Structure formats: C-alpha cells, structure tokens
Amino acid sequence: DNTDLVVVAGQIGGCQEELLAEDIKKNPKKYPKPLVALISGAHAPEGKTMGHAGAIVSPGQVYGTFQSKKQALESVGVPVVNSQYDLITEVQKRLKKKIYFDMENYYKKMKTIWDAPSKKTGWGTLITKVMPNNLLISGYSLQDIVEKKGFIETAYLLVKGEFPDKKTAEEMRKIAIDAAKRPAPNVHRSKKEDISKTLVKYFVLDDELAQYPEEGTNGAVKKTVFGIGRTARYLSGILHTEKALEKLSGDEPFSHVIYRAVTGNTMVNEQHSRMIEAMIVACVDHGVTPPSAQATLIAATTRAPYEIAVAQGVGAITDVHGGAGAKAAQLFTECILKSKKENIDVAQATREIMKKYIEEGKRIEGLGHRLHTKDPRRDVLWNFSAQTGIAGEHVQLYKKVSTIFEQVRGMSLPINVDGVIGAIVTDMGLDPAMAKAFFIYGRIAGLSAHYFEEIASQPRMRQIHFNEALYKGKGPRNIQ
Ligand SMILES: CC(C)(COP(=O)(O)OP(=O)(O)OC[C@H]1O[C@@H](n2cnc3c(N)ncnc32)[C@H](O)[C@@H]1OP(=O)(O)O)[C@@H](O)C(=O)NCCC(=O)NCCS
C-alpha cells in the first residue's frame, strides 16, 4: 500500500524484460501500480561483453537488445528510459510532483550542521613538528639547535620562524639584558612553594612586562625576549642572587646573565654557563599538545594579555608535566647516598630503592614518555655534559637507570628530558629544584611563540565544541 510506483531496473542481454512485458499483457491485475523501466546499455555495440556475460547482445537476436526490450515494455504501457536523469523526470511526471522528501528543510538542516564550528578544533601550528624521537622547530632539529644556538636566538626562531641575522640578534640580546637589569616586583614566596607558582606570581605582578609594547615590527619577538630577560630577574629574586645582576655590563652574552642569576656568581664558569643554556634550549617547545601549551593557547583565544597567558602555561608545569627532573634529581641522590652509606654498588642501591618505590605504587620520575622511546633531547645533553666535564656519578647512574628499571619492573622505559636534566643539575651541584626551573625557563619561549601564533592566526574564543561538553550530572529537580 505504501508503494506509489515501481521502477524496473533492467539492462541489455537476456529476455527478462520481454518476459515481464508478456506477463503484464496476460495478467494486468498482477501489476496494479504504475511502472517505469530504466534499461541501460542502449548504446552498447553488438557482440561486445559489457561488464558481465549476461549483457552480451549476439548479432541478429530478436530479444535482448535495448530496442526489443523498449518495444516490448512500451507495448504494454510501460515507459522506458535510458538514463537516470530521464528516469527522475518520468517518475515525477507520473507521481504528479508528490513530495516524499522535504528537500528544502533537509537542506536547511544540513546547512546549519555544515556551518556549525567544527567539532575538531584543529590545533595546527607552524612552530614545532613533533614526531616520535624527533622534534623540528621550523624545520631545524632541536638537537642541532641545542648544539649550535643560544636561548635568545632560539626564542627568535620560535616566534619568527627564522633565526635572526647578526644585527637583529644583537638588538635582541640588548633587550633581554635591559629586562634583566630592571628590578623585579616584590613577591612573597611561601615555604616549599612550587617554583612554577612563584614564577606565576612574578609574571602576573610585573608591570614592566605588562607595559612593554608588543605592537609593530618585531613587537611579538621583542616582547618574548623582554619576557625572557625578566624571567632571569625573577629567578634571581627566588634564588636571592639579584646582586649578581646589578653590575651587568650589557656586553655579556645572555648565557652569562642566566648563569649569574642561577648561581649568584659574577665570575662566570663558561662550561657551566653553556651547559645551563643548553638545558634551557632543550626544553623550549614540544608543540601544541603539552598541557602548558594548551593552557596558554586557551588564554590566548580569549585575548588575555601576554603575561597572563604565559603565566597560565607556567602554572600548568607541575610534577606531572615538566617538573619530574627535580624529583628525579632527589631520587638519584638518595640512591648514591645509600650506596656510599651501606658501602654497596650504586646499581644495587638503586635497585633496592626502585623496588621499594614500585611496591609503594610510586613512579620513577624522569622515566617514560608518551611519544618518544628515545628522547631526542637525551644524547645532545649527555654529550654536552661530557664535553664540559660536568658529567659525574649522577649522569653515570642515570645512563643505567632504564636497564635497572627493566630488571626490577620487567618493563622497558626510556629516560626523558626531565630525568636527563635532573642528573646533570645534580652533577653541577645545583639545587634539584633548578631542573624544573630550567624546564620552565626554556618553555617560556615556546609558550610565547604559541601565544603570538594563536592571536595572529586564529579567531577569538576557540573553545571546546558544545557537542563535546557532556553533562553527566543529575536531571532537573526542585529545591524542597
Ligand atoms: C611520562 C608518563 C606520564 C608517560 O606515561 P604513559 O606512556 O602514558 O604511560 P602510562 O602512564 O599509561 O603507564 C603505562 C605503564 O607504565 C608504568 N609507568 C610509566 N611510567 C612509569 C614510571 N616513570 N615509573 C614506573 N612505572 C611507570 C605505569 O605504571 C603503567 O603500568 P601498568 O600498565 O602496569 O599500570 C609516565 O611515564 C610518567 O609518569 N613518568 C614519570 C614522570 C615524568 O618523568 N614526567 C616527565 C615526562 S617528560
């Protein structure tokens, strides 16, 4: 009863259509609904196989041709067409334009779906390509950058996509040094306060940074470099080393400024200074997926000011992300102390401590990575630590940690950049907390680049699409 018309779909070859025509003639009551036939193959040459054996028309046949089928069906009142376009016209003619499907409304509905913002937000970037065991910044491998370039030049690359020429590099260095010379805001640091939280306070409270312009040619990169200079000043505030920055000559490389801020020494140990800068550069960026980059990007979508957006990213660097180096440094110091105290082999002491950790359900900080099975930043930093004569018992132990972990846990995990930095920092005799400080410091360059990329290339208020924001709580109810 729901059928208004029947379409016979046929083709040349065989005699089914002719038999149907005969049957319609003999038993018309069997066919109460109007029929329209689409027969394909009208132009097929005789004798040629068209796709399959059934569609062969043998020369001289009185049935099986397009003409024979058309004639037979039309003789019993069934119109025959040869194309889908004609079929639609013929069917519409017979059904008197009856509407089965509300095309107009369907189109409107589809249009609202097409016009809606994509469910996939698409966090594309021109800055860093992240691949398993490899990181490319604007096409340059991060390992190469760590070896050959300083922090300021790398920050410039992140923001601008190219390294600066000599004159511009000099201009940038001066901006950073000027920023490091200016006093930092007065920030109170509570006992045991996480260094990322203290740095957030500095960022948020610093009027010098907030007021530094970011407009005009090179505005974004100048602001980034100024922010990097300010961060050296914040670190000196945290480490009480401001004095070491007071007599900055303005002719020094920026790596010296970092060294002064971190150690409080005005006599620069060139090897340590290079090592510290290399660790910082190794941490500059890891694309758009790390939580810190996401936090900065979300703030940038709302056009939050630079210092606020970067502070959001810095605040998201915790022991879970980026902060494991400090914990790793503590853990391996504990292993070395145990081996000395109990006069046992370091590997044995480490095995025992690891076993205890694992039994307590704790993770070994500095091991494992979501993507890399061999952290691309590992070897370049190990090499630096060897060349600068810094590598000592912590680096030595850390190189064996994956193997020891496998013996204890039966699972193979790579050392990550946090672990590598944790070991080097300890061999340099620095506070373990500096491992996290270096990670954050480097990442400030990447966060700045992501901030400026977002505001320059994306509409405001990018956000989670409503379809992804699932409410899973209680249904509507009344307050009694
Ligand atoms: C970085 C990290 C989050 C990546 O984790 P992941 O690859 O997603 O792996 P998962 O968290 O799903 O863990 C998978 C398994 O490996 C174990 N595992 C991963 N990292 C471990 C670690 N560092 N120590 C001990 N076990 C670890 C987990 O316990 C889990 O074991 P299970 O399957 O028996 O439960 C993880 O390795 C980690 O927490 N590392 C320590 C912290 C750290 O160094 N962070 C800095 C990263 S750069």
Side-chain angles (χ1 to χ4, degrees), residues 320 322-325 328 364-370 372-378 381-382 398 401-402 413-423 439:
V320 177
I364 310 299
E365 305 291 338
L367 278 189
H369 199 282
R370 294 243 151 94
H372 307 307
T373 48
K374 180 183 165 205
D375 198 303
R377 300 151 291 189
R378 186 192 73 183
L381 291 178
W382 283 157
Y398 222 108
V401 157
S402 276
L413 284 183
I415 293 170
N416 57 45
V417 67
D418 293 6
V420 172
I421 292 178
F439 182 94

Coordinates of all heavy atoms in Angstrom, one line a residue, residues 320 322-325 328 364-370 372-378 381-382 398 401-402 413-423 439:
V320 N 53.8 16.5 37.3 CA 53.3 15.6 36.3 C 53.9 16.0 34.9 O 54.2 15.1 34.1 CB 51.8 15.6 36.3 CG1 51.2 14.7 35.2 CG2 51.2 15.2 37.6
G322 N 56.7 18.3 33.2 CA 57.9 19.2 33.2 C 58.6 19.4 34.5 O 59.7 19.9 34.5
G323 N 58.0 18.9 35.5 CA 58.7 19.1 36.8 C 59.3 17.8 37.4 O 59.8 17.8 38.5
A324 N 59.3 16.8 36.6 CA 59.8 15.5 37.1 C 61.3 15.5 37.4 O 61.9 14.7 38.2 CB 59.5 14.4 36.2
G325 N 62.1 16.4 36.7 CA 63.5 16.5 36.8 C 64.0 16.7 38.3 O 64.9 16.1 38.7
A328 N 63.5 13.5 40.1 CA 64.4 12.5 39.7 C 65.8 12.8 40.3 O 66.4 11.9 40.8 CB 64.5 12.6 38.2
I364 N 58.8 6.2 38.9 CA 60.2 6.6 39.0 C 60.3 7.9 38.1 O 60.1 7.8 36.8 CB 61.2 5.5 38.4 CG1 60.9 4.2 39.1 CG2 62.6 6.0 38.5 CD1 61.1 4.2 40.6
E365 N 60.4 9.0 38.7 CA 60.4 10.3 37.9 C 61.6 10.3 36.9 O 62.6 9.8 37.2 CB 60.5 11.4 38.9 CG 59.5 11.4 40.0 CD 58.1 11.7 39.6 OE1 57.9 12.3 38.5 OE2 57.2 11.3 40.3
G366 N 61.3 10.9 35.8 CA 62.3 11.1 34.8 C 62.4 9.9 33.8 O 63.2 9.8 33.0
L367 N 61.5 8.9 34.1 CA 61.4 7.7 33.1 C 60.1 7.7 32.4 O 59.1 8.0 33.1 CB 61.6 6.4 33.9 CG 62.9 5.9 34.3 CD1 62.8 4.5 34.9 CD2 63.9 5.9 33.1
G368 N 60.1 7.4 31.2 CA 58.9 7.2 30.4 C 58.5 8.5 29.6 O 58.9 9.6 30.0
H369 N 57.9 8.2 28.5 CA 57.4 9.3 27.7 C 56.2 8.8 26.8 O 56.2 7.7 26.4 CB 58.5 9.9 26.8 CG 58.2 11.3 26.3 ND1 57.3 11.5 25.2 CD2 58.6 12.5 26.7 CE1 57.2 12.8 25.0 NE2 58.0 13.4 25.9
R370 N 55.2 9.7 26.7 CA 54.0 9.3 25.9 C 54.4 9.0 24.4 O 53.8 8.2 23.8 CB 53.0 10.5 25.9 CG 52.4 10.7 27.2 CD 50.9 10.5 27.3 NE 50.5 10.1 28.6 CZ 50.1 10.9 29.5 NH1 49.9 12.2 29.2 NH2 49.7 10.5 30.7
H372 N 58.1 9.5 22.9 CA 59.4 9.1 22.5 C 59.9 7.8 23.2 O 59.7 7.7 24.4 CB 60.4 10.2 22.9 CG 60.0 11.6 22.3 ND1 59.8 11.8 21.0 CD2 59.8 12.8 22.9 CE1 59.5 13.1 20.8 NE2 59.5 13.7 22.0
T373 N 60.5 6.9 22.4 CA 61.1 5.7 23.0 C 62.6 6.0 23.3 O 63.2 5.4 24.0 CB 60.9 4.5 22.1 OG1 61.3 4.9 20.8 CG2 59.5 4.0 22.1
K374 N 63.1 7.1 22.5 CA 64.4 7.6 22.8 C 64.3 9.1 22.7 O 64.1 9.7 21.7 CB 65.4 7.1 21.8 CG 66.8 7.5 22.0 CD 67.7 7.1 20.9 CE 69.0 7.9 21.0 NZ 69.7 8.0 19.7
D375 N 64.3 9.7 23.9 CA 64.1 11.2 23.9 C 65.1 11.9 23.1 O 66.3 11.8 23.2 CB 64.1 11.7 25.4 CG 63.5 13.0 25.5 OD1 63.9 14.0 24.8 OD2 62.5 13.1 26.3
P376 N 64.6 12.7 22.1 CA 65.5 13.4 21.1 C 66.4 14.4 21.8 O 67.4 14.8 21.2 CB 64.6 14.1 20.2 CG 63.3 14.2 20.8 CD 63.2 13.0 21.8
R377 N 66.1 14.7 23.1 CA 67.0 15.7 23.7 C 68.1 15.1 24.6 O 68.9 15.7 25.2 CB 66.1 16.6 24.6 CG 65.1 17.4 23.7 CD 63.8 17.7 24.4 NE 63.0 16.6 24.7 CZ 61.7 16.7 25.2 NH1 61.2 17.8 25.3 NH2 61.1 15.6 25.5
R378 N 68.0 13.7 24.7 CA 68.9 13.0 25.6 C 70.3 13.1 25.2 O 71.2 13.7 26.0 CB 68.4 11.5 25.6 CG 69.2 10.7 26.7 CD 69.0 9.2 26.5 NE 69.6 8.7 25.3 CZ 69.6 7.5 24.8 NH1 68.8 6.6 25.4 NH2 70.2 7.1 23.8
L381 N 72.3 16.4 25.3 CA 72.6 16.9 26.6 C 73.7 16.0 27.3 O 74.6 16.6 28.0 CB 71.4 17.0 27.5 CG 70.4 18.1 27.0 CD1 69.1 18.1 27.9 CD2 71.0 19.5 27.0
W382 N 73.6 14.7 27.1 CA 74.7 13.8 27.6 C 76.0 14.3 27.0 O 77.0 14.4 27.8 CB 74.5 12.4 27.3 CG 73.5 11.5 28.0 CD1 72.9 10.4 27.5 CD2 72.9 11.7 29.3 NE1 72.0 9.9 28.4 CE2 72.0 10.7 29.6 CE3 73.1 12.6 30.3 CZ2 71.3 10.5 30.7 CZ3 72.5 12.5 31.5 CH2 71.6 11.4 31.7
Y398 N 72.4 7.6 35.9 CA 71.2 7.8 35.1 C 71.2 7.1 33.8 O 70.2 6.7 33.2 CB 70.8 9.3 35.0 CG 69.3 9.5 35.2 CD1 68.8 10.1 36.3 CD2 68.4 9.0 34.2 CE1 67.5 10.3 36.5 CE2 67.1 9.2 34.4 CZ 66.6 9.8 35.5 OH 65.3 9.9 35.7
V401 N 69.8 3.8 34.4 CA 68.6 3.6 35.1 C 67.5 2.8 34.3 O 66.8 2.0 34.9 CB 68.0 5.1 35.4 CG1 66.6 5.1 35.6 CG2 68.7 5.5 36.7
S402 N 67.5 3.0 33.0 CA 66.5 2.2 32.2 C 66.7 0.7 32.4 O 65.7 0.0 32.5 CB 66.6 2.6 30.7 OG 65.9 3.7 30.4
L413 N 61.5 1.3 29.9 CA 61.1 2.8 29.8 C 62.3 3.6 29.5 O 63.3 3.5 30.1 CB 60.4 3.2 31.1 CG 59.0 2.8 31.4 CD1 58.6 3.5 32.7 CD2 58.0 3.1 30.3
P414 N 62.1 4.6 28.6 CA 63.3 5.5 28.3 C 63.4 6.6 29.3 O 62.5 7.0 30.0 CB 62.9 6.1 26.9 CG 61.4 6.1 27.0 CD 60.9 5.0 27.8
I415 N 64.6 7.1 29.4 CA 64.9 8.3 30.2 C 64.3 9.5 29.4 O 64.4 9.5 28.2 CB 66.4 8.6 30.3 CG1 67.0 7.5 31.2 CG2 66.7 9.9 30.9 CD1 68.5 7.5 31.1
N416 N 63.6 10.4 30.1 CA 63.1 11.5 29.4 C 63.9 12.8 29.7 O 64.8 12.7 30.5 CB 61.6 11.7 29.7 CG 61.3 11.9 31.2 OD1 62.0 12.6 31.9 ND2 60.3 11.2 31.7
V417 N 63.6 13.9 29.0 CA 64.4 15.1 29.2 C 64.5 15.6 30.6 O 65.5 16.0 31.1 CB 63.9 16.2 28.2 CG1 62.5 16.7 28.6 CG2 64.9 17.4 28.1
D418 N 63.4 15.4 31.4 CA 63.4 15.8 32.8 C 64.5 15.0 33.6 O 65.2 15.6 34.4 CB 62.0 15.6 33.4 CG 61.0 16.4 32.9 OD1 61.2 17.2 31.9 OD2 59.8 16.4 33.4
G419 N 64.5 13.7 33.3 CA 65.5 12.9 34.0 C 66.9 13.3 33.6 O 67.8 13.4 34.5
V420 N 67.1 13.5 32.4 CA 68.5 13.9 31.9 C 68.9 15.2 32.6 O 70.0 15.3 33.2 CB 68.5 14.1 30.4 CG1 69.8 14.7 29.9 CG2 68.2 12.8 29.7
I421 N 68.0 16.2 32.6 CA 68.4 17.4 33.3 C 68.5 17.3 34.8 O 69.4 17.8 35.4 CB 67.3 18.5 32.9 CG1 67.4 18.8 31.4 CG2 67.4 19.8 33.8 CD1 66.4 19.8 30.9
G422 N 67.7 16.4 35.4 CA 67.8 16.2 36.8 C 69.2 15.6 37.2 O 69.9 16.1 38.1
A423 N 69.7 14.7 36.3 CA 71.0 14.1 36.6 C 72.1 15.2 36.4 O 73.0 15.3 37.3 CB 71.3 13.0 35.6
F439 N 63.5 23.8 33.0 CA 62.4 23.4 32.0 C 61.5 24.6 31.8 O 61.1 24.9 30.7 CB 61.7 22.2 32.6 CG 60.6 21.7 31.7 CD1 60.8 20.7 30.8 CD2 59.3 22.3 31.7 CE1 59.8 20.2 29.9 CE2 58.3 21.8 30.8 CZ 58.6 20.8 30.0

